[in-house]
Structures are given as structure tokens and as C-alpha cells.
């Protein structure tokens, strides 16, 4: 049912060379695959990451990749956060080579309180792998994250995990994925049995059977080529019953699901599905082999002035993550830059567009599975970590002089709001600086009420309040307290006509609920869903946006 047309073609996305050295440069771009793995916690993201690294020879044994998830019921949340922060710098980018392809896996926190971190990281990936637990099916976090990817047309491959356990029927699951995630799927492998009866998978993509032995130490699987599904070979291999069932199921699948088409996948219109068991290292090799063939090399990116292509000669890149240094004595931070175009070179001058300032970096870090090291040159698709003393904030753009800014790193309306108060008047400078830097890092959002200048912190999860309090004290020597505040949502205001009577009336009547975000944009803080709806109805010429970028 799956036709491999177009697949094994040259991956090149480039036209004729346009500058000297272009050939080598094109080769470097073409060999890169930068992606993220997304899932609901516990579906198996960490286990799959680890198995992928094993294939790449980047780590030697299982257990080397530490999960950065916040454990439920951890004894002390902030200690857990500190532990997690330490790990998350180590696992932010995991790079390795596999079959001459440079793979960059960007880590995405699974915990829902850190969802915004994950959304931002998704602006730096060129594709994603979605992991789904065969027994649990589509879960809440998967829905949210897939929605973001779908909106941005990010190519997605689905990996259904834990086939060694009893779970949902394959067709039922594929249906669920289509309905809940609003995707169009096509299986590229198909399970033979499940749980206790799990015999292996038929690889539709490679046309072979991979038998399950349940031996996780096996890193190279033995597959049996089956060129004709009707042949007795299949019966001998998996038994008459299983062979007949498989034939029926594959026939059905062929009738129901579209043929795999790489362009449709690359445009985000079709999502291939693989089945396996990450823990048992089963089905992972198939996933990886297909991934390196079909997943896109670095993709062009939209900026405020134009679309920038990776093969352009001049360097451009943007900050998608900032990680504060773990050592409170040295307040330097690591800004993670995704390279969009051109070569990034050590000690070369680049323009920090927002600050209109030239900067050069003597020790840019590149990340590998178990270490980071200083690199001289990096290419589109790569992530470099730059030491920063407070110049960067999320979304900042670096170029070779062109004044363009990358789009697509919006702030979402927070879910939780509290007033923040200074608990130590002697340390107000420290508090201000701390809040400023933590907001630049994207830990939370700060709003200042128009009416009285009071500061409000908005977060995605309740955990962040604890993070902020703890980090203000330990990294900045400042103390804060919180005060509850009844806000349902923050919406960014856009007026059709700022001089209109309607807008003036809105500002007067709602003065108490108006604030500015950190960049000075006007925000309406609605205290309930009802009052938001009423306000929207009353002022039809005003737009209430749920993200800061519109
Ligand atoms: P996450 O990063 O998505 O949160 O998930 P993680 O890989 O940590 O996996 C969650 C749990 O599921 C782990 O068990 C892991 O061993 C298990 N798991 C992952 N893949 C498979 C699979 O293919 N089959 C089965 N049966 N289990 C799988 P845990 O008990 O929570 O943790 P641990 O003590 O094993 O580390």
C-alpha cells in the first residue's frame, strides 16, 4: 500500500550554487535533521531518546539520558526544580551522527507547567516525533503540543509505544489519533499481535517482518524480508493465524489510509505512523532509518521582512531558550540560538538586532550527547549556546548586519496570576533585576497595572511561582511575597482605531483592568470568561488576542 515514490530521491532542496564554497555548505545543511520529541509525560519520550542515541553510538548504555521530568509528589518541589534545571541544560540539545546524518534532538519538557518552554522549543525544530502510549492513546499534553505543530505545519511522525503491553487495537488508535489530533495518518509499520501475543511488526516501508524477542540488549534487530505477503514464508514465520490476520489488516489499512506521500508529510498534511517498544529497543531502528530519509533538512523561516532560506550566505539565527547559570556567583546565562541561515563563526561580529549592537562570541558551545564543547563553525539546523550577561531575551535575532527579526515566539496568556510584592525593601534593585532577567528567560510574564503601577506575575503553571521565589532569593538575594488576584485571562489588545470613541470608552470603563506587558503592549486582564465575553461584545472594533503576536 505504501509506495516509496519520491522517497529515496536526493534530499537536496537547493538550486544552483550561488557562492564559492557553496557545495560543501549545501552538503552540511542537507545532512542536518533538527527535531523534537513530544509526548504526554510517561509515554516514553526519554526512553526513545535514549534508544536513538544508542543507535547513533552517542551513548554506550541505557540509563545515560536522565529524564528531566518533574516527578509527581516530589518531596520538595524547588529542590526538584533545581535538579531538573541541572539536567535540562545537559539534555537541551542532544546531537549525534547516524549514517552520515547529523541529528539534533531538542529536548522538550513534558510537565504541563513548563508547556511554554516546549512551545518555544518547537519554534526551533524542523520536524517532530510524537510518542503515544498504546494503552493510554491520545492524552491531554499530546493534544496541546500537536495542535501547535499542526498550526505551524511542522512535519510529524507518530511513534506508538509500549506494544509489549496490552493496549488499544491498532485501527482504534489510528482513528483516535485522526479524530483527537486532527491528523491524517498512514501507517508505515503494523503490529503483529500485542501485549502477551506481540509477535513483532510488519514494516510496510521496508517490506519486511521484524520479530519481537523481548531482548532489549539487542541493538541490531534481525528482520526477514517478505517481498510477497501471500507467500507461505509469512505463515512459517509468525504462524497461520497471525499471518492471516496480518494480511487482512494490511488490506484493510490499504483501503482506509492514503498512500504515503513525502510532500504531504513535509507540508504537514500527512503523518506516517510507526509501532514499537522503546524500552525493548524494538521498532526504533525502523523509525530512525525512515526518519533520516523523509524528515526535512533545515527549513526556511519567516522573519518580519522576508522568508530566510538556510542556504543563504549570511548568518542569521534566533534565541529560543535561555538557561540561567547554575552558579549564582556568576550571573551569566546560556542563550540557545538556532541557526537559520549562513555559517555561525566564533569571534566574528554579529548584529544583535533588537539592541542594535555588535557582539562577538569567543566561546560558543555546541552540544553532543554527553558533553558540550567550543566550536569554531556551526551550520543551519545547529544549535549553539552563547554565554550571555543579560543581553538576550527569548526571540532575539542575530544577523550579519541585516535588520530582520524572526517571528513566531509569542507569549501565551498565562493561566495563573498573582501580585508580586517586595519583602525586603533594602533589596528592591536586586528584586527588579531578578524579575527582569527571569522574565527574559521566559520563566513567567510580568504585567504592570496602568492604574497604580502594581506588578503582576502571570504563569502557565502554579509551580513557576515557587521557582521564581526560590531563584530570586538564591540567585539575586531578593525576597518576594505573592498576593492572590482574580484574573481569568490576559488578552492583548488591538484597536482598529485608537482615536475612536469606542476605544476611548473602553479605556475609561475598563481602566482598572488594563496593564502593560514587558514590551509595553496593552493587555486587558479579564476576571472571568463571562466578563471577557461581555467586553468583546460591547467593543466589537477591538480585538482581544490570546497571544502576544498577532
Ligand atoms: P517520558 O520521558 O515520556 O515521561 O517517559 P519515560 O521514557 O520516562 O517512560 C515512562 C515509563 O514507561 C518508564 O517506566 C519506562 O521504562 C516505561 N516505558 C517506556 N517505553 C516502554 C515500552 O516500550 N514498554 C514498556 N512496557 N514500558 C516502557 P517507569 O517505571 O516510570 O520508569 P523507570 O523506573 O523504568 O525508569
Amino acid at each position: 500500500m505504501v509506495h516509496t515514490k519520491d522517497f529515496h530521491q536526493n534530499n537536496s532542496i537547493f538550486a544552483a550554487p550561488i557562492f564559492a564554497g557553496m557545495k560543501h555548505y549545501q552538503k552540511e545543511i542537507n545532512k542536518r535533521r533538527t527535531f523534537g520529541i513530544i509526548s504526554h509525560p510517561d509515554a516514553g519520550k526519554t526512553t526513545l531518546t535514549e534508544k536513538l542515541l544508542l543507535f547513533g553510538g552517542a551513548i554506550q548504555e541505557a540509563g545515560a539520558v536522565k529524564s528531566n521530568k518533574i516527578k509527581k509528589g516530589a518531596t520538595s518541589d524547588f529542590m526538584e526544580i533545581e535538579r531538573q534545571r541541572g539536567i535540562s541544560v545537559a539534555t537541551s540539545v542532544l546531537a549525534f551522527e547516524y549514517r552520515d546524518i547529523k541529528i539534533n534532538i531538542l529536548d522538550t519538557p513534558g510537565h504541563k507547567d513548563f508547556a511554554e518552554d516546549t512551545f518555544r522549543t518547537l519554534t526551533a525544530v524542523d520536524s517532530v516525533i510524537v510518542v503515544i502510549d498504546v494503552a493510554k492513546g491520545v492524552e491531554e499534553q499530546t493534544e496541546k503540543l500537536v495542535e501547535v505543530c499542526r498550526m505551524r505545519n511542522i512535519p510529524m511522525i507518530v511513534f506508538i509505544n509500549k506494544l509489549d503491553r496490552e493496549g488499544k487495537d491498532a485501527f482504534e488508535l489510528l482513528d483516535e489519533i485522526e479524530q483527537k489530533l486532527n491528523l491524517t495518518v498512514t501507517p508505515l509499520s503494523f503490529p503483529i499481535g500485542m501485549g502477551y501475543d506481540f509477535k513483532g511488526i510488519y514494516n510496510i516501508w521496508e517490506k519486511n517482518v521484524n520479530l519481537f524477542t523481548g531482548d532489549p540488549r539487542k541493538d541490531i534487530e534481525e528482520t526477514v524480508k517478505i517481498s510477497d505477503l501471500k507467500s507461505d514464508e509469512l505463515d512459517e514465520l509468525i504462524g497461520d493465524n497471525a499471518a492471516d490476520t496480518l494480511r487482512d489488516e494490511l488490506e484493510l489499512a490499504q483501503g482506509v489510509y492514503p498512500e504515503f506521500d513525502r510532500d504531504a508529510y513535509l507540508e504537514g498534511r500527512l503523518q506516517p505512523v510507526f509501532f514499537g517498544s522503546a524500552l525493548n529497543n524494538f521498532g526504533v531502528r525502523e523509525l530512525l532509518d525512515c526518519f533520516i530519509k523523509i524528515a526535512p533538512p533545515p527549513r526556511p523561516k519567516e522573519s518580519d521582512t522576508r522568508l530566510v532560506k538556510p542556504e543563504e550566505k549570511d548568518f542569521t539565527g534566533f534565541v529560543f531558550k535561555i538557561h540561567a547559570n547554575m552558579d549564582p556567583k556568576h550571573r551569566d546565562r546560556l542563550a540557545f540560538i538556532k541557526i537559520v541561515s549562513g555559517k555561525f563563526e566564533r569571534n566574528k561580529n554579529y548584529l544583535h538586532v533588537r539592541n542594535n549592537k555588535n557582539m562577538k562570541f569567543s566561546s560558543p558551545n555546541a552540544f553532543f550527547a554527553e558533553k558540550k564543547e567550543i566550536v569554531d563553525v556551526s551550520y543551519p539546523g545547529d544549535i549553539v549556546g552563547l554565554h550571555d550577561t543579560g543581553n538576550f531575551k527569548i526571540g532575539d535575532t542575530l544577523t550579519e548586519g541585516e535588520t530582520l527579526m524572526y517571528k513566531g515566539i509569542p507569549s501565551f496568556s498565562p493561566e495563573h496570576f498573582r501580585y508580586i510584592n517586595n519583602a525586603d525593601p533594602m533589596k528592591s534593585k536586586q528584586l527588579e533585576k531578578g524579575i527582569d532577567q527571569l522574565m527574559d528567560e521566559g520563566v513567567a510574564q510580568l504585567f504592570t497595572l496602568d492604574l497604580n503601577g502594581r506588578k503582576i506575575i502571570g504563569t502557565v503553571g502554579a509551580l513557576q511561582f515557587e521557582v521564581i521565589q526560590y531563584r530570586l532569593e538564591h540567585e539575586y538575594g531578593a525576597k518576594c511575597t505573592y498576593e492572590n488576584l482574580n484574573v481569568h485571562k490576559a488578552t492583548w489588545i488591538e484597536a482598529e482605531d485608537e482615536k475612536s470613541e469606542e476605544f476611548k470608552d473602553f479605556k475609561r470603563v475598563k481602566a482598572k483592568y488594563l496593564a502593560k506587558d514587558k514590551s509595553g503592549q496593552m493587555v486587558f486582564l479579564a476576571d472571568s470568561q463571562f466578563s471577557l465575553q461581555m467586553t468583546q461584545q460591547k467593543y466589537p472594533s477591538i480585538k482581544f488576542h490570546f497571544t502576544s503576536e498577532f
Side-chain angles (χ1 to χ4, degrees), residues 240-260:
D240 296 351
N241 284 346
D244 284 343
T245 312
L246 178 66
R247 287 185 189 109
D248 289 349
E249 288 181 331
L250 288 175
E251 200 183 318
L252 184 62
Q254 190 173 15
V256 176
Y257 300 105
E259 202 181 278
F260 180 79

Side-chain angles (χ1 to χ4, degrees), residues 234-280:
L234 186 66
D235 300 70
E236 280 160 31
L237 207 59
I238 60 175
D240 296 351
N241 284 346
D244 284 343
T245 312
L246 178 66
R247 287 185 189 109
D248 289 349
E249 288 181 331
L250 288 175
E251 200 183 318
L252 184 62
Q254 190 173 15
V256 176
Y257 300 105
E259 202 181 278
F260 180 79
D261 171 10
R262 186 175 179 218
D263 289 338
Y265 155 72
L266 291 178
E267 286 159 19
R269 291 185 283 112
L270 182 68
Q271 288 75 29
V273 180
F274 283 86
F275 291 83
S277 165
L279 187 65
N280 291 289

Side-chain angles (χ1 to χ4, degrees), residues 39-40 43 130-147 150 158 160 168 172-183 185:
S39 72
H40 191 85
V130 185
V131 182
I132 290 176
D133 182 321
V134 71
K136 294 190 178 141
V138 173
E139 296 173 89
E140 194 194 335
Q141 273 305 98
T142 327
E143 276 185 67
K144 286 195 183 145
L145 296 171
V146 166
E147 195 188 333
R150 221 184 43 233
V158 178
I160 299 182
K168 299 185 184 188
E172 195 190 320
L173 252 178
L174 293 171
D175 265 6
E176 186 179 324
I177 294 170
E178 291 210 313
Q179 276 157 24
K180 283 200 182 160
L181 299 179
N182 210 353
L183 301 179
V185 298

